[in-house]
Amino acid sequence: MIRAMRRQIRDQLCTFFSLIIAVTPSLSYYRNTADEMALMSLCLSLGLIFLDLEWRSKSVDAIPSYQSICKLVHSAVDCNGRKLSSIPENLPANTQEIFMDANFVKTLRNGTMQRYGNLWSLSLQGNNLELIESGAFSGNKRLKVLSLQDNAIFVNYPMAANALRSLPSLKKLDLSGNYLTEDMTGILLQNLSSLESLSLARNVIMRLDSTIFESLGQLQELSLEKNYIYEIEEGAFQNLRRLQRLNLAYNHIPCIVNFDLTKLWILNASYNNIEWFLAEESSANFELQTLDLSHNQLLFFPLLPKHNKLRSLLLSDNKMNFYANASNTTTSKDGLVKFVFISNNVTNVTSVNLWEEVILGNFSSLKFLDMSRNLFQYLPDGFLASMTSLSHLKLNQNCFWIINLNEREPPATLVELDLSQNQLLELQVDLYPGSILPNLQFLNLSTNRLKRMPSQFFTHLDSITTVDLSHNQLNLCPQKNRAGDRICIDFRNITSLRHLYLAGCDLEPVFDHAFRGTSLTKLDLSSNKRALLRGMHPLQDLALTLQSLSLRNNGLSNSAKADFSKFQNLLALDLSRNTLTSFPSTLNSLALRSLDLRRNHISFPQFMVHQRLVKNLHIVYLSQNPYDCCKLDWLKSLQELRTVHIADRQQITCKFSSNTVSAMELPKSITQSCLWITKDMTLLYLVLILPASLTLLVAFIILVLMVKQRLFKIVKSRWRGSSSY
Ligand SMILES: *[C@@H]1O[C@H](CO)[C@@H](O)[C@H](O)[C@H]1NC(C)=O
Ligand SMILES: *[C@@H]1O[C@H](CO)[C@@H](O)[C@H](O)[C@H]1NC(C)=O
Ligand SMILES: *[C@@H]1O[C@H](CO)[C@@H](O)[C@H](O)[C@H]1NC(C)=O
Ligand SMILES: *[C@@H]1O[C@H](CO)[C@@H](O)[C@H](O)[C@H]1NC(C)=O
Ligand SMILES: *[C@@H]1O[C@H](CO)[C@@H](O)[C@H](O)[C@H]1NC(C)=O
Ligand SMILES: *[C@@H]1O[C@H](CO)[C@@H](O)[C@H](O)[C@H]1NC(C)=O
Ligand SMILES: *[C@@H]1O[C@H](CO)[C@@H](O)[C@H](O)[C@H]1NC(C)=O
């Protein structure tokens, strides 16, 4: 039944195909773009011809030998980017490698490389190379590696084809970025039976017919990345019996049906429009290890080869779901999906249990499964249980409501589980005695809506080191929530835990010893405005282990309460987006390497005066604080230190009267005004003091004079009196 359905799907797709070819205007657009590209490159090459001629007359002909231009290392010659218009003819005869990238070699003439009989590698990337004469490689029978990317081979491809055919040992050929169409490619590849690696990336190939790779029986690696391929004829890869790596990324492939490349190790079909991936239904052994179908339009989980060696299955960025309980109209209880086919006025309804086939496949070697950014709502029972080697599972950014972790699945081998950005309300766990997921180290549950989850869950994860629960509403046990509708999670005595992310959890004030018995090195409590209302006391159990602490947007306003003196191992501290008005002085005793003080109310970060802190600091963020433009000497000294990188220096602003300006580019007028303000102050003092002292002086003189007068009078009267005797 399944087979019949597949055939039907295939037939449907074929008609679909012919329709596309006849109707879709976008394809003619591709053809146009191809033509346009060719034209553009022609213009480009014309432009370069002139350049080239100029160069020839000026410099190249004037230089007599290669020695002054190229570098010789053993038997390799490096002439990259030397503005040469031909391969030097007087290199040592035993030269084995020539690098001529980014020059102006527009033509490879007959016989120019005749004398390099030992040459095995030639690189001519980015030369605008147009013409390779048929006999250009006639003396280079040992050439194995030829790099011709980013040239204009399309201009004279028949002749280039002749030249390539004269290379009996050619193993690796790169023709990417040469504006080649499928017809040109077919001719260029004729009889290149020694090739083992071929790149045709960034060309304008649209179809692959069954003959195009006919003669490449030794090919192991083929890249067709970034073309315009929308159709691959059946049998196109038939003769590539040794092909191991196939890259079809960035094309327009609508589906892959009847996939039968049993020898392939890696298939990269990411960034296409694939809606279906159906492997051939056979019991053949597939060597496939890596399958990348990410960034496509898959609606269903791919139907993979039954016998495979898959280790990596990349399915992110598609539209997949399992449909057994998705909709009641087309689905019955046992998970059958009904397909309605309408062809030739006959309607045929086929029921199929699509996902049963998934189970039929053997996933026992799968290690890495990425199903992120799809539309999955649930995983069928037993889906993960069959993946007995699975270590990394990414289910983030889907539509999961419930996840069930029981004894059977996911398998005990799991190391990393990412469930972030779903709609998770419930984490169902069978808390059987002993360890659940004994190898799990990383669990990301960030950005969900968790309402039910066992509070002791993490005590059962023996190897857990990293937990991200940020952006869920929760509390830390045994604290009871007032409203009572929140889960509480117990982190006490989880000895393996190192990194804990609890940002945006709307935590109640954390009680003392909430982290007792853990050895956290990294803690993120950002955006929990009430968590540390009572100061840093609740974190004291972590004082000796904590190396990185994030308290961004935590409503910290009182620098005295932010007492960090006990956290002597702290290396990174984020205090941004708080309302600190002064620099927390307890930081001075720490040996921080990174400090973030952005977006506070700090007017003067006097920390730089304190030796210990500044001596160790590598990176600091200081912007969005109300600094005074006339008091920026600290910033200057900090910059002069050179050991501290002010990461956001361009964003630092300061205030002058009511203006906010960039502190790095203070306008002259402001520096002047600042100077004036300081000068004015001395003047003001002068103006204030001078009259006062003058008055005092005058008063003193008057006083002295008055006293003098009286004395004079007294003396005079005495003298007069005595004179009367
Ligand atoms: C280059 O050599 C090929 C064969 O070796 C010959 O057919 C062709 O005419 C030659 N071209 C020129 C321009 O001499
Ligand atoms: C390719 O090789 C086959 C058999 O050796 C020969 O008949 C054919 O002419 C060759 N094609 C070209 C274009 O050289
Ligand atoms: C597949 O190709 C894309 C685009 O080049 C690349 O980003 C991705 O890493 C490749 N996948 C694998 C598994 O190598
Ligand atoms: C499925 O059934 C439920 C009730 O049984 C109904 O409310 C819902 O609209 C149905 N969904 C669809 C897609 O028909
Ligand atoms: C399709 O079938 C209906 C009845 O089954 C018939 O009346 C109609 O003529 C058919 N149309 C074509 C195009 O065959
Ligand atoms: C309808 O599908 C069934 C099962 O795939 C097949 O046996 C039958 O021949 C089909 N009928 C028509 C008219 O296509
Ligand atoms: C968890 O997932 C979120 C969203 O996908 C991501 O931003 C965050 O960096 C992840 N946490 C960790 C510890 O990697």
Side-chain angles (χ1 to χ4, degrees):
M1 158 123 71
I2 289 163
R3 192 168 303 155
M5 195 214 72
R6 278 193 180 177
R7 213 173 300 127
Q8 242 167 350
I9 289 172
R10 205 165 56 235
D11 293 345
Q12 292 284 313
L13 288 167
C14 291
T15 40
F16 183 53
F17 258 160
S18 42
L19 267 178
I20 280 194
I21 294 161
V23 180
T24 316
S26 60
L27 288 174
S28 56
Y29 162 75
Y30 296 141
R31 287 210 186 271
N32 284 343
T33 39
D35 288 348
E36 262 172 41
M37 274 183 196
L39 205 76
M40 219 168 67
S41 77
L42 208 70
C43 297
L44 256 170
S45 61
L46 280 176
L48 279 173
I49 287 170
F50 293 124
L51 254 176
D52 185 19
L53 284 177
E54 255 182 314
W55 264 107
R56 244 194 252 192
S57 54
K58 272 187 196 157
S59 60
V60 176
D61 283 353
I63 295 166
S65 95
Y66 77 92
Q67 274 115 342
S68 50
I69 329 170
C70 302
K71 263 187 290 186
L72 183 69
V73 184
H74 302 299
S75 53
V77 178
D78 175 0
C79 304
N80 288 349
R82 295 298 196 284
K83 295 167 179 156
L84 298 171
S85 60
S86 65
I87 294 177
E89 288 184 36
N90 50 1
L91 301 175
N94 64 351
T95 300
Q96 295 184 2
E97 292 174 81
I98 300 181
F99 296 94
M100 288 284 299
D101 301 347
N103 284 292
F104 301 125
V105 182
K106 211 182 65 189
T107 340
L108 274 187
R109 301 234 174 256
N110 275 355
T112 36
M113 295 188 298
Q114 190 76 41
R115 67 190 244 118
Y116 311 128
N118 288 330
L119 194 69
W120 67 264
S121 169
L122 174 62
S123 184
L124 277 163
Q125 303 179 24
N127 273 277
N128 205 40
L129 180 64
E130 287 175 0
L131 174 62
I132 304 177
E133 288 187 354
S134 308
F137 300 122
S138 56
N140 312 109
K141 295 286 177 240
R142 298 201 176 140
L143 196 68
K144 282 196 172 71
V145 181
L146 183 55
S147 307
L148 295 174
Q149 51 265 58
D150 300 303
N151 284 299
I153 302 295
F154 77 101
V155 178
N156 269 303
Y157 66 94
M159 229 182 264
N162 284 334
L164 291 177
R165 269 194 293 277
S166 70
L167 293 169
S169 318
L170 193 62
K171 295 239 182 310
K172 188 168 180 187
L173 175 62
D174 195 332
L175 285 170
S176 47
N178 274 291
Y179 310 103
L180 300 172
T181 64
E182 55 269 24
D183 299 336
M184 300 175 183
T185 310
I187 289 167
L188 279 165
L189 298 180
Q190 262 173 33
N191 287 10
L192 298 188
S193 52
S194 58
L195 268 193
E196 291 175 1
S197 168
L198 171 65
S199 176
L200 291 166
R202 295 183 286 107
N203 281 295
V204 287
I205 300 167
M206 290 188 265
R207 284 183 78 246
L208 299 179
D209 67 29
S210 56
T211 59
I212 187 165
F213 304 123
E214 216 170 22
S215 59
L216 308 181
Q218 299 295 314
L219 203 67
Q220 293 169 19
E221 183 173 10
L222 174 60
S223 174
L224 289 160
E225 199 180 285
K226 295 188 175 141
N227 277 280
Y228 299 86
I229 300 169
Y230 63 89
E231 190 183 359
I232 300 175
E233 218 173 72
E234 200 158 343
F237 301 111
Q238 193 132 40
N239 285 350
L240 305 180
R241 277 176 298 270
R242 306 188 64 184
L243 194 65
Q244 292 174 345
R245 295 153 203 274
L246 177 57
N247 188 349
L248 292 168
Y250 292 103
N251 278 289
H252 301 277
I253 302 169
C255 62
I256 294 180
V257 290
N258 241 358
F259 172 75
D260 61 355
L261 302 176
T262 51
K263 292 286 183 290
L264 208 60
W265 293 0
I266 300 176
L267 174 60
N268 192 341
S270 59
Y271 298 94
N272 276 282
N273 302 321
I274 299 173
E275 292 186 359
W276 292 90
F277 182 92
L278 307 177
E280 187 193 50
E281 197 167 9
S282 76
S283 50
N285 286 322
F286 281 71
E287 297 293 321
L288 197 64
Q289 291 182 11
T290 301
L291 177 57
D292 190 345
L293 292 172
S294 59
H295 299 273
N296 275 295
Q297 309 285 331
L298 288 173
L299 294 165
F300 299 94
F301 199 86
L303 301 186
L304 299 162
K306 217 177 276 180
H307 301 287
N308 61 67
K309 296 183 176 163
L310 267 181
R311 294 167 64 87
S312 237
L313 181 54
L314 309 174
L315 301 171
S316 70
D317 300 277
N318 277 286
K319 297 174 177 168
M320 285 185 285
N321 192 4
F322 293 109
Y323 298 93
N325 53 10
S327 146
N328 13 5
T329 50
T330 55
T331 317
S332 57
K333 284 200 183 78
D334 50 3
L336 290 184
V337 179
K338 287 184 184 134
F339 282 89
V340 182
F341 291 106
I342 305 166
S343 57
N344 302 332
N345 207 9
V346 179
T347 307
N348 199 351
V349 179
T350 310
S351 300
V352 76
N353 188 334
L354 257 186
W355 104 260
E356 199 170 67
E357 290 213 354
V358 177
I359 284 193
L360 290 180
N362 179 359
F363 292 107
S364 59
S365 50
L366 194 63
K367 283 195 149 38
F368 190 99
L369 175 57
D370 188 350
M371 294 169 44
S372 57
R373 292 184 291 281
N374 274 284
L375 302 171
F376 289 109
Q377 290 175 316
Y378 76 104
L379 296 178
D381 285 341
F383 176 72
L384 295 174
S386 66
M387 303 176 181
T388 48
S389 307
L390 195 66
S391 59
H392 297 267
L393 177 58
K394 292 170 82 65
L395 298 174
N396 48 304
Q397 296 176 57
N398 277 287
C399 316
F400 289 102
W401 290 69
I402 295 178
I403 281 287
N404 193 333
L405 306 176
N406 58 43
E407 205 163 351
R408 255 170 13 98
E409 56 183 341
T413 46
L414 203 64
V415 172
E416 176 185 346
L417 176 57
D418 192 342
L419 283 163
S420 62
Q421 295 189 54
N422 277 289
Q423 310 285 328
L424 281 183
L425 287 171
E426 185 167 358
L427 196 67
Q428 284 180 344
V429 186
D430 300 345
L431 284 182
Y432 46 89
S435 181
I436 311 168
L437 298 174
N439 292 298
L440 193 70
Q441 293 176 13
F442 176 97
L443 177 58
N444 196 341
L445 287 164
S446 149
T447 322
N448 278 289
R449 299 185 291 156
L450 284 170
K451 288 267 181 281
R452 278 182 297 279
M453 172 178 173
S455 43
Q456 298 295 320
F457 175 53
F458 294 103
T459 33
H460 290 264
L461 301 176
D462 281 356
S463 306
I464 194 80
T465 61
T466 304
V467 172
D468 192 338
L469 272 165
S470 47
H471 307 290
N472 284 287
Q473 301 257 313
L474 52 89
N475 267 325
L476 303 177
C477 302
Q479 203 163 25
K480 285 278 174 279
N481 186 40
R482 270 176 266 135
D485 63 341
R486 284 208 206 172
I487 47 170
C488 85
I489 311 284
D490 198 344
F491 289 106
R492 290 170 297 180
N493 300 317
I494 302 176
T495 48
S496 59
L497 196 61
R498 293 292 176 273
H499 307 146
L500 180 58
Y501 300 81
L502 293 171
C505 289
D506 196 19
L507 296 175
E508 298 276 322
V510 178
F511 69 99
D512 293 354
H513 307 305
F515 300 106
R516 185 167 54 198
T518 69
S519 307
L520 287 186
T521 58
K522 184 174 173 74
L523 178 62
D524 186 352
L525 282 179
S526 301
S527 302
N528 286 291
K529 296 233 169 171
R530 290 172 301 159
L532 295 177
L533 271 184
R534 297 194 288 254
M536 299 293 294
H537 205 59
L539 304 185
Q540 63 187 351
D541 289 322
L542 305 174
L544 290 180
T545 56
L546 215 53
Q547 294 176 1
S548 168
L549 178 60
S550 187
L551 299 176
R552 191 173 357 106
N553 188 23
N554 270 49
L556 302 177
S557 56
N558 188 336
S559 304
K561 264 193 189 167
D563 179 1
F564 295 97
S565 51
K566 292 216 178 73
F567 296 82
Q568 284 298 317
N569 289 316
L570 211 54
L571 297 175
L573 180 60
D574 185 351
L575 290 173
S576 61
R577 288 169 166 260
N578 283 295
T579 49
L580 294 171
T581 49
S582 66
F583 182 78
S585 56
T586 50
L587 292 183
N588 292 326
S589 62
L590 303 184
L592 290 180
R593 299 182 133 249
S594 133
L595 176 62
D596 194 338
L597 290 172
R598 274 175 289 186
R599 233 167 138 174
N600 274 286
H601 297 332
I602 299 169
S603 55
F604 172 58
Q606 79 267 32
F607 66 90
M608 59 131 326
V609 199
H610 300 275
Q611 280 310 308
R612 177 149 197 238
L613 182 62
V614 170
K615 212 159 64 188
N616 292 287
L617 212 53
H618 277 205
I619 186 162
V620 64
Y621 299 84
L622 293 166
S623 63
Q624 300 180 67
N625 279 296
Y627 305 123
D628 183 343
C629 288
C630 292
K631 294 179 186 162
L632 286 177
D633 288 345
W634 60 268
L635 186 57
K636 221 182 267 169
S637 341
L638 201 59
Q639 279 183 294
E640 278 161 9
L641 270 179
R642 302 215 173 260
T643 52
V644 188
H645 174 53
I646 308 173
D648 57 345
R649 42 189 290 246
Q650 293 307 330
Q651 281 89 269
I652 299 181
T653 53
C654 61
K655 285 196 171 241
F656 183 76
S657 63
S658 59
N659 298 329
T660 304
V661 296
S662 164
M664 286 298 141
E665 290 145 26
L666 271 190
K668 266 246 160 68
S669 57
I670 291 187
T671 22
Q672 217 94 65
S673 308
C674 287
L675 272 177
W676 268 113
I677 285 175
T678 36
K679 267 188 199 159
D680 278 356
M681 288 314 256
T682 28
L683 230 119
L684 193 73
Y685 289 135
L686 267 177
V687 169
L688 281 175
I689 289 167
L690 207 69
S693 36
L694 269 176
T695 335
L696 275 174
L697 196 73
V698 171
F700 181 73
I701 291 171
I702 290 172
L703 205 77
V704 168
L705 283 177
M706 274 168 67
V707 170
K708 244 186 173 175
Q709 219 167 16
R710 276 187 74 184
L711 266 175
F712 182 70
K713 267 187 191 161
I714 290 170
V715 171
K716 210 172 157 188
S717 64
R718 284 236 178 123
W719 181 76
R720 258 194 210 156
S722 64
S723 70
S724 65
Y725 283 107

